[in-house]
C-alpha cells in the first residue's frame, strides 16, 4: 500500500513539474517584450517593432505583424507620430518609404527627454520631463520635412498632462494641467493659453473632463453637450463623488470610484452609417454588473474594463439607454495591462504575450491579416528577427507564423542569398507564381517555382506539395522560409526562446 501511495505521489510531482516547466517555457518565450503601445513594442534588447496603420499614414504602409526598424537601437519609449526616445533621452522620427518598403530614421534635434506626445489634427503637442510643451506641425501626418518646424510654447511650463476635446462650436481645444493643479486652455491658438478659474486642485484631465483632488468630476461644454444655461466655465457633474480615475471617449465617458465601481454617462447609439442615432444620457449611472474595476475605456461602441483579478470584459453602448446592469462579456483572463488605440486595444497577459481586440481594417491588431474587426481577442504575432550569415536581415514586413511555419516577404532574404526572383501571373490571369533561380559557378543550379493559388512547388523539375500555402498580405508576397532557404543550400535554425531565425549559407 505504501509503495502504491509513493508511486502516486511521485507521478503527481512529475506531472506538476512538467506543467510548471511548460508554463515557465511559455512565459520565457514572451519575456523579451519590455514595453508596448497600441501599434508598437520594444524588446529587451532595445529594438523597436511596429505594425498596423492606425492613422492611415502613407508613410507607414501596411505592416500586418510586428516589423523591426533596423535603424533604431537602445529605444526606451515609443510615442505617436512615429516619434521614439532612446535611453540617452534623444528623440528620433521614423517613416517608411511606400515605394521601396524601407525605413528611414531621422534625429529630432528640437526634442529631448519626452514623457508624452498628444496627437491633434493639424498639430500635436509634446511634453518633456521638465514640463515644457512643444508644438509639432503634423497637418494630420508628421513627415521628416516638418521636424525643423517644431517650436516650444513660450511662457508655458511646469505642465504634467495634456488633453484635447471638441468644444460646443466644434473647434479642437487644448487643456494643460500644471503641477500646482491649475488648468490652462488655449485662447484660440496654441501660442496663447489662459487659466480656467473654476479648475483648481485638479489631478487629471481627460477630454473635456477634469478630476479634482477631492474626487469630484468637472466638465467643460463640448460638441456632445453644449453650454448649459448660465454656464461660463467648467461645471461639476452631479452624482459623482469619491472618484479616482476618469476616461473620455468620442461622446461618452467613464469614471471609477475609490470602491472600484464603474460609472457611465454620455452618448449611446442605435443604427449605423447614415442611420446612426445618438442618445444623450447626461446623468452618470453606476454599472452594478461589474465590480473591482481597475481600468476602463470606450472603444467604438463598447465599454472595455480590466478588473483587479486580471479579467477583461466588454459591454455594448449600442442601445437607446444605458441600464444599471448591462451584460458584460468576458474577453480575456490573466491580463496585466491594456493599451488603448483609437479603435482597438492591445492587452498583455501575465505570460508576456500580447493580444488584440477591436477594429483591424488597417492591421492594428498585428495578427497578420486585415480582417475588419475581431470580436474575440487574437494574439499579436511574435516579433521574430532573421539573421543571415551573422548579419541582421532587414525585412519589408515581419515574419508571419502560420501553422507553426515561418513565412517571410518574397525579396527580403532570398536575393541576398544569390537568388534571382521573378513574380508572374498565369495565363488564366488569376494564378500568381514566383520563380526563384540560382546558378552560381561551382554549385548545382537551383530553380524553384511556387504557385500561390495551388500551393504547389516545383524544385528542379520535381513537384512538391507544400504543407502550408504561400500567401499575399496587402501586396506583400510571403514564402515559406525554411523550404526556400534549404532548397538554396542554406542551413536554418530556429531559436524559439529568443525569437530568432538564423540562416547560414555555404561560403
Amino acid at each position: 500500500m505504501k509503495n502504491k501511495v509513493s508511486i502516486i505521489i511521485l507521478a503527481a510531482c512529475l506531472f506538476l513539474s512538467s506543467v510548471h516547466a511548460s508554463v515557465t517555457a511559455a512565459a520565457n518565450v514572451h519575456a523579451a517584450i519590455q514595453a508596448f503601445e497600441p501599434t508598437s513594442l520594444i524588446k529587451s534588447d532595445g529594438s523597436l517593432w511596429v505594425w498596423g496603420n492606425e492613422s492611415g499614414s502613407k508613410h507607414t504602409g501596411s505592416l500586418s505583424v510586428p516589423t523591426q526598424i533596423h535603424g533604431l537601437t537602445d529605444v526606451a519609449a515609443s510615442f505617436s507620430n512615429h516619434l521614439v526616445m532612446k535611453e540617452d533621452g534623444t528623440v528620433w522620427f521614423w517613416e517608411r518609404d511606400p515605394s521601396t518598403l524601407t525605413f528611414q530614421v531621422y534625429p529630432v534635434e528640437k526634442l529631448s527627454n519626452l514623457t508624452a506626445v498628444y496627437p491633434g489634427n493639424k498639430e500635436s503637442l509634446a511634453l518633456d520631463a521638465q514640463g515644457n510643451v512643444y508644438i509639432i506641425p503634423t497637418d494630420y501626418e508628421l513627415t521628416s520635412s516638418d521636424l525643423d518646424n517644431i517650436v516650444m510654447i513660450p511662457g508655458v511650463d511646469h505642465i504634467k498632462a495634456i488633453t484635447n476635446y471638441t468644444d460646443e462650436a466644434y473647434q479642437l481645444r487644448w487643456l494643460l494641467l500644471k503641477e500646482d493643479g491649475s488648468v490652462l486652455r488655449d485662447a484660440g491658438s496654441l501660442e496663447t493659453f489662459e487659466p480656467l478659474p473654476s479648475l483648481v486642485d485638479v489631478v487629471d484631465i481627460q477630454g473635456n473632463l477634469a478630476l479634482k483632488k477631492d474626487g469630484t468630476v468637472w466638465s467643460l461644454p463640448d460638441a456632445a453637450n453644449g453650454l448649459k444655461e448660465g454656464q461660463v466655465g467648467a461645471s461639476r457633474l452631479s452624482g459623482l463623488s469619491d472618484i479616482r480615475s476618469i476616461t473620455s471617449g468620442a461622446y461618452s465617458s467613464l469614471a471609477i470610484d475609490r470602491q472600484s465601481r464603474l460609472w457611465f454617462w454620455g452618448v449611446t447609439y442605435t443604427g449605423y452609417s447614415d442611420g446612426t442615432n445618438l442618445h444623450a444620457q447626461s446623468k452618470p449611472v453606476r454599472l452594478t454588473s461589474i465590480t473591482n474595476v481597475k481600468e476602463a475605456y470606450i472603444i467604438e461602441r463598447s465599454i472595455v474594463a480590466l478588473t483587479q483579478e486580471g479579467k477583461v470584459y466588454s459591454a455594448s453602448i449600442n442601445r437607446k439607454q444605458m441600464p444599471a446592469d448591462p451584460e458584460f462579456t468576458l474577453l480575456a483572463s490573466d491580463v496585466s495591462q491594456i493599451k488603448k488605440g483609437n479603435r482597438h486595444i492591445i492587452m498583455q497577459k501575465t505570460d508576456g504575450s500580447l493580444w488584440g481586440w477591436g477594429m483591424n481594417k488597417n492591421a492594428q491588431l498585428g495578427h497578420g491579416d486585415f480582417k475588419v474587426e475581431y470580436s474575440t481577442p487574437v494574439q499579436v504575432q511574435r516579433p521574430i528577427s532573421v539573421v543571415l550569415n551573422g548579419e541582421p536581415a532587414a525585412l519589408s514586413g515581419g515574419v508571419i507564423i502560420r501553422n507553426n511555419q515561418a513565412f517571410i516577404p518574397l525579396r527580403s532574404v532570398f536575393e541576398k542569398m544569390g537568388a534571382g526572383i521573378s513574380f508572374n501571373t498565369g495565363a488564366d490571369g488569376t494564378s500568381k507564381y514566383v520563380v526563384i533561380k540560382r546558378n552560381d559557378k561551382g554549385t548545382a543550379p537551383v530553380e524553384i517555382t511556387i504557385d500561390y493559388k495551388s500551393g504547389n512547388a516545383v524544385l528542379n523539375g520535381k513537384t512538391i506539395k507544400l504543407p502550408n500555402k504561400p500567401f499575399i498580405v496587402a501586396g506583400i508576397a510571403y514564402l515559406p522560409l525554411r523550404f526556400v532557404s534549404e532548397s538554396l543550400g542554406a542551413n536554418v535554425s530556429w531559436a524559439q526562446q529568443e525569437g530568432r531565425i538564423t540562416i547560414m549559407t555555404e561560403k
Side-chain angles (χ1 to χ4, degrees), residues 461-496:
K462 181 180 179 182
T463 300
I464 298 172
K465 181 69 175 178
L466 298 175
N468 296 292
K469 283 186 179 183
F471 51 88
I472 300 173
V473 179
I476 299 178
Y478 277 82
L479 289 175
L481 182 148
R482 183 179 291 275
F483 168 73
V484 177
S485 298
E486 292 182 345
S487 296
L488 293 172
N491 294 315
V492 180
S493 62
W494 164 230
Q496 185 176 9

Side-chain angles (χ1 to χ4, degrees), residues 29-30 32-33 41 43 45 47-49 65-70 380-387 392-395 397-402 404-409 413 481 493-502:
V29 165
H30 304 285
I33 299 176
L41 64 85
K43 292 183 71 171
D45 62 3
S47 60
L48 177 69
W49 302 67
V65 295
T67 304
Q68 184 177 359
I69 301 179
H70 280 273
V380 178
Q381 292 254 345
R382 286 185 62 198
I384 298 174
S385 60
V386 176
V387 177
L395 306 180
V399 176
I400 294 179
I401 302 293
R402 289 193 177 178
N404 296 317
Q405 186 175 12
F407 291 79
I408 64 171
V413 171
L481 182 148
S493 62
W494 164 230
Q496 185 176 9
Q497 297 295 328
E498 293 81 10
R500 183 179 65 251
I501 296 172
T502 300

Side-chain angles (χ1 to χ4, degrees), residues 278-289:
L278 279 62
H279 309 277
Q281 190 168 335
S282 58
K283 185 178 180 180
V285 56
R286 182 166 72 86
L287 306 183
T288 59
S289 47

